[in-house]
Amino acid sequence: AQSVAQPEDQVNVAEGNPLTVKCTYSVSGNPYLFWYVQYPNRGLQFLLKYITGDNLVKGSYGFEAEFNKSQTSFHLKKPSALVSDSALYFCAVRDNMDSNYQLIWGAGTKLIIKP
Amino acid sequence: NAGVTQTPKFQVLKTGQSMTLQCAQDMNHEYMSWYRQDPGMGLRLIHYSVGAGITDQGEVPNGYNVSRSTTEDFPLRLLSAAPSQTSVYFCASSYSRLAGVTDTQYFGPGTRLTVL
């Protein structure tokens, strides 16, 4: 069965420091991987996705993520955190073998950037 | 271009009442979906549609109905509200008829529903 795990409910980072939000997945076939961000009282916004090709994917607002097939991970990273990055981050995966094309979501990680 | 719009933003219902959450998009997207968001559980798919006249069930469809008479609109109906349906509901759309396999999804601002 397909699944996504975001092992940290909350990540605290000082402004200016690098940040990492972790995501691991389990699929039968090849994964299509996504990161979305949700600011307070807002809908989710797309950050970046991995479909195929280069394992390092660059996205919006200076974020990037690295696809690691051997570790089945897709961690979100940013070299220097901003207070405005504080939000709820969701990882999601689709299995290319799933005929229903279901998008499976992680539970979310709350990112807090302290000044 | 308004993107994905949802109404109402907030709603309080009594147990047993029915209501419709409205969702509309002006991007000519074929794929639309409804999710509920509960604390610590991420998003769960309720129903989805790959085009006008075509709908299907997601992970948690019980207690909800949908229809897709036009490309633009995808309303979600609660037939007889229950406290377990207290949640935040998001509508989303994406371009591809292939259920948005590789497409990004565009989300509405959400409807916060409380059932007493």
Side-chain angles (χ1 to χ4, degrees):
Chain A
Q2 308 156 57
S3 66
V4 175
Q6 293 182 242
E8 302 153 317
D9 292 337
Q10 183 170 308
V11 171
N12 298 300
V13 177
E15 187 177 26
N17 283 0
L19 69 87
T20 298
V21 182
K22 296 180 180 178
C23 172
T24 59
Y25 66 90
S26 175
V27 295
S28 300
N30 291 321
Y32 301 131
L33 293 152
F34 302 81
W35 275 102
Y36 284 80
V37 59
Q38 184 181 29
Y39 297 103
N41 300 314
R42 303 283 297 276
L44 280 73
Q45 297 177 32
F46 169 77
L47 275 180
L48 50 80
K49 64 182 177 182
Y50 172 83
I51 303 302
T52 187
D54 195 345
N55 289 343
L56 184 64
V57 179
K58 294 188 183 296
S60 306
Y61 312 120
F63 283 94
E64 59 187 28
E66 186 167 12
F67 171 61
N68 188 317
K69 189 171 184 178
S70 62
Q71 297 186 4
T72 62
S73 67
F74 190 56
H75 301 332
L76 182 69
K77 300 182 180 183
K78 187 173 182 180
S80 179
L82 301 173
V83 172
S84 57
D85 293 330
S86 299
L88 190 56
Y89 290 81
F90 290 95
C91 181
V93 68
R94 272 202 177 97
D95 185 344
N96 76 334
M97 298 292 287
D98 178 13
S99 58
N100 291 321
Y101 306 113
Q102 292 276 17
L103 187 61
I104 306 301
W105 295 84
T109 298
K110 186 174 184 180
L111 178 63
I112 298 176
I113 309 299
K114 298 183 177 180
Chain B
N1 191 331
V4 181
T5 58
Q6 289 183 239
T7 57
K9 290 186 178 180
F10 302 94
Q11 183 70 49
V12 179
L13 294 177
K14 295 181 180 179
T15 296
Q17 287 184 314
S18 62
M19 79 159 295
T20 299
L21 307 185
Q22 300 292 344
C23 174
Q25 52 88 11
D26 60 359
M27 298 174 283
N28 201 31
H29 285 172
E30 290 193 323
Y31 181 80
M32 297 185 73
S33 56
W34 276 102
Y35 292 94
R36 59 178 290 172
Q37 183 183 30
D38 301 294
M41 300 189 71
L43 297 177
R44 291 184 292 169
L45 183 65
I46 304 171
H47 286 283
Y48 66 96
S49 168
V50 297
I54 306 169
T55 64
D56 208 344
Q57 297 180 350
E59 181 184 357
V60 288
N62 292 340
Y64 307 94
N65 273 356
V66 292
S67 60
R68 185 95 179 269
S69 57
T70 66
T71 298
E72 294 78 20
D73 300 300
F74 191 46
L76 177 72
R77 280 182 285 277
L78 279 70
L79 308 173
S80 177
S84 61
Q85 294 179 304
T86 293
S87 187
V88 181
Y89 292 85
F90 289 102
C91 179
S93 74
S94 62
Y95 175 76
S96 171
R97 186 172 176 81
L98 292 178
V101 174
T102 60
D103 281 353
T104 61
Q105 294 199 32
Y106 294 82
F107 284 81
T111 295
R112 188 174 295 273
L113 176 68
T114 301
V115 183
L116 304 176

